[in-house]
Amino acid sequence: MRLGLMLGYWGRGPDPRHLELARQAERLGYHSVWTSESWGSDAFTPLAWIAAHTERILLGTAVAQMAARSPAATAMQALTLDHLSGGRMLLGLGLSGPQVVEGWYGRPFPESPLTATREYVDVVRQVLRRQAPVTLDGRYHPLPYTGPGATGLGKPLRSVTHPLRPDLPVLLGAEGPRNVAQTARIADGWLPLYWSPLNTGLHAAALAGVAEGFMVAPLAQARLCADIAQGLRPVKTMLAFYIGGMGHAARNFHADLMARMGFEVAARRIQRLFAAGRREEAVAAVPDAFADEISLVGPRGRIAERLELWRKGPVTDLLVTVPDEETLRVLAELNS
C-alpha cells in the first residue's frame, strides 16, 4: 500500500505549510500528493506550483469537479500539467452534488449522474488519446454542440498539443453503489471519501472484476497524538460539515453513504442539527466509532496496529491529511 499526501483545498487563503509538506513527503518516499476544490481555490494551480518545486512525487486531483469545466477543458489542463511535470499527473474527477453544481457553477445537476460521468470520461479519454477528432453523440457533453443556440459551424477537433501520455490515469470520486460499480468499469481508479477497513465488504462486488493496476485510493485524516478524543475532533468537524452542510437535507450523498455504512440514525441527526444552525451539537453527534473507523488517530503504536487493517484490504493508495511533519514521517516509517 502506497502513501499519498492529501492537501485538500484552501480555506480563507493558501496554507503556508502545504509546499513544505509536499516536499517532505517526496523526501520520505510518498507516492503522490493531491489537491481538491470546493467553491474557492481550484485543484490544478496548486499542483502546478508543487510540480515546480518537486521532482518525482505524482500529482493528483481528488477531486476536480466536473461542473467546473467542460471535459475538453479538463483534458487540456491535465495534459498541460502532465507535460510540465514530466508525466506525473493523476486526474481525479468528481460530479459533486446539486447544491454546488447549481448554486456555485450555475448549471443543472444531471438527471442521470452516471450518464453524465460516463460521457465526461469518454471525452477526456478521446482528447488524451488523440486518435481522431473528438466527437460524442451525448446527452450532456455532445461534441460538436448542435443544441439550442448552435450556429451549426462547430466541427470536430483534435488537440493541437500531443499529450505526453495517452493513457494518463483517470480516477473517479464515487459514493453510490451504482456509481462505484461504473467507476470500476470505466476508470483507472476510485477515490472513496469514507473508507472503513472494518467494512470492506460493502464494495466487494463492485471491485471484484477491476483490471490489474486499478487504484483504490481512499482519503483519511491522520494525527499522531496521545489524546484520541482530541485527535478525533478535526475528523468529527469535517464529517459534520460534509454530512450536515454539503448537500440538501433531501439529497446528500455523504449522509447517504454514512447511513449505508451502518450509522443512519446518527447521519440524520447530524443533518437536522446542522440545518438548525446548531453546529457544535452536530459535531458532537458524530459517533467517535465512525470517525475512528475512517481515520488514523492516536499514539504511534495504535496507528501502527490500525495501519495493518488498511493494508489487509483492497486499498492500493492511502491518501492522508496530516497536521504536521512528524505525523507525515511516522506514517512513512510505519508503512515502509
Side-chain angles (χ1 to χ4, degrees), residues 221-256:
Q221 290 198 42
R223 182 177 295 264
L224 183 69
C225 59
D227 188 328
I228 297 172
Q230 183 179 358
L232 288 175
R233 174 73 184 187
V235 184
K236 295 176 65 169
T237 299
M238 176 274 292
L239 286 169
F241 176 66
Y242 273 74
I243 293 161
M246 290 282 275
H248 190 272
R251 196 169 188 182
N252 184 313
F253 304 129
H254 309 300
D256 293 345

Side-chain angles (χ1 to χ4, degrees), residues 81-96:
L81 187 49
D82 203 42
H83 268 291
L84 292 174
S85 66
R88 292 191 276 154
M89 182 69 199
L90 298 166
L91 180 59
L93 301 170
L95 194 59
S96 194

Side-chain angles (χ1 to χ4, degrees), residues 1 3 197 220-225 231-232 235 291-299 302-310 318-323 327 331 334:
M1 185 180 70
L3 291 179
Q221 290 198 42
R223 182 177 295 264
L224 183 69
C225 59
L232 288 175
V235 184
D292 198 27
E293 274 188 36
I294 65 170
S295 62
L296 285 162
V297 171
R302 186 174 193 266
I303 290 179
E305 292 175 2
R306 298 182 70 81
L307 200 59
E308 285 300 318
L309 297 176
W310 290 80
L318 177 58
L319 314 185
V320 293
T321 299
V322 300
T327 302
L331 286 171
L334 294 175

Side-chain angles (χ1 to χ4, degrees), residues 56-203:
R56 299 176 307 280
I57 196 165
L58 300 191
L59 310 158
T61 55
V63 293
Q65 295 180 336
M66 296 183 205
R69 308 162 191 86
S70 71
T74 293
M76 289 168 64
Q77 286 196 271
L79 74 85
T80 301
L81 187 49
D82 203 42
H83 268 291
L84 292 174
S85 66
R88 292 191 276 154
M89 182 69 199
L90 298 166
L91 180 59
L93 301 170
L95 194 59
S96 194
Q99 185 183 46
V100 175
V101 173
E102 297 182 359
W104 182 248
Y105 296 115
R107 302 183 59 184
F109 189 78
E111 293 181 8
S112 176
L114 270 72
T115 301
T117 299
R118 190 166 55 250
E119 290 183 8
Y120 201 102
V121 172
D122 189 344
V123 172
V124 168
R125 291 210 190 274
Q126 286 191 59
V127 173
L128 293 173
R129 287 170 180 158
R130 202 181 176 272
Q131 294 174 339
V134 180
T135 61
L136 182 70
D137 183 16
R139 176 180 176 184
Y140 295 103
H141 302 289
L143 285 174
Y145 176 73
T146 58
T151 64
L153 301 177
K155 68 174 186 177
L157 298 171
R158 181 165 53 178
S159 173
V160 174
T161 304
H162 290 237
L164 181 64
R165 293 182 298 160
D167 57 349
L168 187 156
V170 177
L171 300 88
L172 293 174
E175 295 182 39
R178 293 174 60 215
N179 203 348
V180 175
Q182 175 174 270
T183 297
R185 294 194 303 271
I186 71 171
D188 301 302
W190 174 38
L191 296 159
L193 182 59
Y194 310 142
W195 178 272
S196 169
L198 304 177
N199 193 16
T200 58
L202 189 64
H203 306 291

Side-chain angles (χ1 to χ4, degrees), residues 210-214:
V210 296
E212 185 177 353
F214 186 87

